[in-house]
Amino acid sequence: MDRHPVKPQHFFEDRFGLSPQKIGRVLGNLLGKPVDYGDLYFEYRVSEGFALEEGQVKRATRNITQGVGVRATAEEKTGYAFSDEITVERVELAARTARAIAERAGGTGPVPVALPGGRPHSLYPIARPPTEASLPEKLSLLEQVDRVARSVDPRVTQVMASFTAEHKIVLVATADGLAVGDIQPLTRLQVTCIAEAGGRREIGSFGGGGRAEFGFFLEGERFARYAREAARQALLNLEAVEAPAGTFTVVLGPGWPGIVLHEAVGHGLEADFNRKGTSAFTGRIGERVASPLCTVVDDGTLPGRRGSLNVDDEGTPTSRTVLIENGILRGYLQDRLNAALMRMPLTGNGRRESYAHIPMPRMTNTFMLAGTTPPEEILRSVKHGLYAVSFGGGQVDITSGKFVFSASEAYLIEDGRITVPVKGATLIGNGPDVLTRVTMVGNDLALDEGIGTCGKDGQSVPVGVGLPTIRIDGITVGGTAAR
């Protein structure tokens, strides 16, 4: 049960005078031929950030943003307008604007829109929003991170640490009578270290977070683990050799390497791409798209996770959606508009960056389920290959599924053993193809630490990823070693 006393419905009524009757009147005026659906998204957000460099806190920000977004749809045409001023007059003006945009579409009749089912979850019950931690608490956290990271090794010459926190209150009101609110905390602590030796200068980064209170980082000195891990990666890279290039067997480690799954496969399963026929997975439900060892889910109901939500940004309770089951494509990630047009069930994946952005199908926490093979056995099975533990970034073409990812921590595998660390390794492949090349799946599923942010059409939202150790045969590695 949410212990925080603020209730979204009361918050927006008390602060902005938006009674249920006034909201209902706006929604009533929004509808009418050809507009067949409309909704209002109210948002009040407090966000702050602190950054430490050279042992000193050099940046501290705190912002409050608020606004309302109004959507009107006529078949697949959407009118959207927003205001950063929350008054009845501004909401009504935004509604007239959104309706006018949608009316231009014409239309021959209403499109059935499925009603969200189920009740909102309570996935992040907190007593104190992370933004309400005291300034000394936040500064002390960053100073401790700096001290711990530097204590790892004298070769760690620079430490950068940042703490960000957010407290967001939202209310979604729809033309079909739904009114649901949510209070969404979000925190993140990121540590970057630079190590220097023998004329080399290398970097290491680590961090984590979630929908949690400030104390999350103090539990078991979690902040110290982040600091030590960032320092370890920087020191490791001092010893790394240039990565080879060619076609190899690649083993992906558990946890954050799930970003490959997110980019190479997850985006291609979002409903908008498939409704428009632009995804490599379009029209393939029921077909084999992966190895029988692969089952992939998107789950927005994991307590406290960065990608979790009690309700999505359209008011639909989030869910656990099986996307690929034992290699067979089972479904897509849906928002309201695409679910209605595709005549498919809602999945609670309608998300937006803020009130100023239109919702669209987005992932929450996307991961592959564990298999049965011990990870040690997977590594022993590889004669010569690459073991990728962490990635720094990647790109994917949704239409073709082609992707490129840069490994930030990787090693050679020689005769079944992890040997030297390598730098400059990139994985190059095709999403629909790469899952068919998975030949072993470990029993060590892990989710990431809570740092993921997904970009799509200019919008960024927090997400989670996960993966057990997996073996992929015959994947192209772009290396930097001279041939």
Side-chain angles (χ1 to χ4, degrees), residues 292-295 326 368-375 378 438 440-446 467-470:
L293 299 172
C294 297
T295 294
N326 298 326
M368 181 184 294
L369 299 190
T372 58
T373 308
I378 295 175
V438 174
M440 302 178 83
V441 176
N443 59 4
D444 58 341
L445 169 64
L467 197 71
T469 297
I470 63 172

Side-chain angles (χ1 to χ4, degrees), residues 5 62 77-78 109 145 166 288 316 330 359 375 377 411 425 467:
R62 183 178 175 90
K77 180 70 174 180
T78 298
V145 165
E166 183 177 291
R288 179 166 299 286
T316 305
R330 294 303 186 194
E377 184 176 328
Y411 305 82
L467 197 71

Side-chain angles (χ1 to χ4, degrees), residues 315-347:
T316 305
T318 53
S319 62
R320 180 183 176 96
T321 303
V322 177
L323 299 170
I324 297 172
E325 183 177 31
N326 298 326
I328 306 297
L329 181 61
R330 294 303 186 194
Y332 303 127
L333 299 172
Q334 298 284 357
D335 65 345
R336 291 185 64 117
L337 175 64
N338 288 284
L341 294 173
M342 297 176 77
R343 303 293 197 271
M344 299 184 78
L346 286 165
T347 59

Side-chain angles (χ1 to χ4, degrees), residues 7-14 18 170-171 179-181:
K7 299 300 179 187
Q9 289 87 340
H10 297 160
F11 175 84
F12 285 101
E13 181 172 5
D14 294 344
L18 291 164
V170 301
L171 176 65
V180 59

Side-chain angles (χ1 to χ4, degrees), residues 57-336:
V57 175
K58 294 192 171 182
R59 178 175 60 82
T61 61
R62 183 178 175 90
N63 297 296
I64 296 176
T65 55
Q66 60 190 36
V68 55
V70 182
R71 175 170 59 163
T73 64
E75 298 189 46
E76 62 181 283
K77 180 70 174 180
T78 298
Y80 195 78
F82 66 90
S83 170
D84 57 8
E85 187 177 340
I86 304 179
T87 64
V88 173
E89 293 75 19
R90 288 290 182 179
V91 177
E92 290 175 337
L93 176 59
R96 288 197 296 274
T97 304
R99 177 177 171 80
I101 296 171
E103 282 177 339
R104 294 186 179 183
T108 56
V111 174
V113 178
L115 284 172
R119 295 171 58 86
H121 311 294
S122 180
L123 302 173
Y124 23 85
I126 64 170
R128 184 177 65 155
T131 51
E132 292 185 8
S134 71
L135 181 60
E137 286 179 291
K138 297 162 189 169
L139 299 185
S140 174
L141 176 70
L142 294 178
E143 290 165 354
Q144 290 183 80
V145 165
D146 181 83
R147 185 166 57 252
V148 170
R150 291 180 187 277
S151 70
V152 172
D153 192 289
R155 291 175 294 171
V156 176
T157 57
Q158 292 187 42
V159 177
M160 288 78 76
S162 63
F163 168 77
T164 57
E166 183 177 291
H167 177 67
K168 185 164 70 171
I169 304 172
V170 301
L171 176 65
V172 181
T174 72
D176 47 25
L178 175 72
V180 59
D182 195 19
I183 299 174
Q184 300 167 351
L186 190 66
T187 61
R188 175 174 167 169
L189 176 63
Q190 186 72 28
V191 187
T192 299
C193 293
I194 293 177
E196 297 180 73
R200 288 184 63 169
R201 193 167 186 266
E202 299 292 348
I203 192 169
S205 294
F206 199 79
R211 299 196 180 278
E213 299 184 36
F214 176 82
F216 172 82
F217 299 108
L218 306 179
E219 295 171 0
E221 295 197 330
R222 187 176 271 117
F223 70 89
R225 181 168 64 83
Y226 294 173
R228 294 189 188 100
E229 183 63 17
R232 183 195 67 79
Q233 288 189 13
L235 295 166
L236 178 80
N237 286 329
L238 287 177
E239 313 298 327
V241 301
E242 300 295 330
T247 301
F248 293 94
T249 294
V250 173
V251 176
L252 300 184
W256 179 243
I259 189 65
V260 175
L261 189 70
H262 171 104
E263 297 287 1
V265 179
H267 278 299
L269 297 176
E270 290 168 339
D272 46 353
F273 296 125
N274 288 280
R275 179 175 65 81
K276 297 171 184 174
T278 57
S279 169
F281 294 101
T282 298
R284 299 188 63 188
I285 289 180
E287 294 183 15
R288 179 166 299 286
V289 296
S291 155
L293 299 172
C294 297
T295 294
V296 179
V297 304
D298 182 271
D299 193 344
T301 70
L302 304 176
R305 299 296 306 180
R306 182 173 169 84
S308 296
L309 289 168
N310 290 326
V311 292
D312 71 4
D313 295 326
E314 298 177 311
T316 305
T318 53
S319 62
R320 180 183 176 96
T321 303
V322 177
L323 299 170
I324 297 172
E325 183 177 31
N326 298 326
I328 306 297
L329 181 61
R330 294 303 186 194
Y332 303 127
L333 299 172
Q334 298 284 357
D335 65 345
R336 291 185 64 117

Side-chain angles (χ1 to χ4, degrees), residues 391-467:
F391 289 89
Q395 294 181 327
V396 63
D397 179 339
I398 301 299
T399 303
S400 65
K402 294 180 179 178
F403 63 77
V404 177
F405 287 96
S406 300
S408 58
E409 182 177 355
Y411 305 82
L412 289 180
I413 307 173
E414 298 172 290
D415 294 324
R417 295 185 302 111
I418 296 172
T419 57
V420 297
V422 297
K423 57 180 295 185
T426 57
L427 301 188
I428 304 167
N430 179 285
D433 173 67
V434 72
L435 286 189
T436 66
R437 297 177 179 273
V438 174
T439 54
M440 302 178 83
V441 176
N443 59 4
D444 58 341
L445 169 64
L447 302 180
D448 73 297
E449 296 278 351
I451 60 169
T453 297
C454 172
K456 176 182 174 182
D457 290 350
Q459 295 192 42
S460 297
V461 297
V463 295
V465 300
L467 197 71

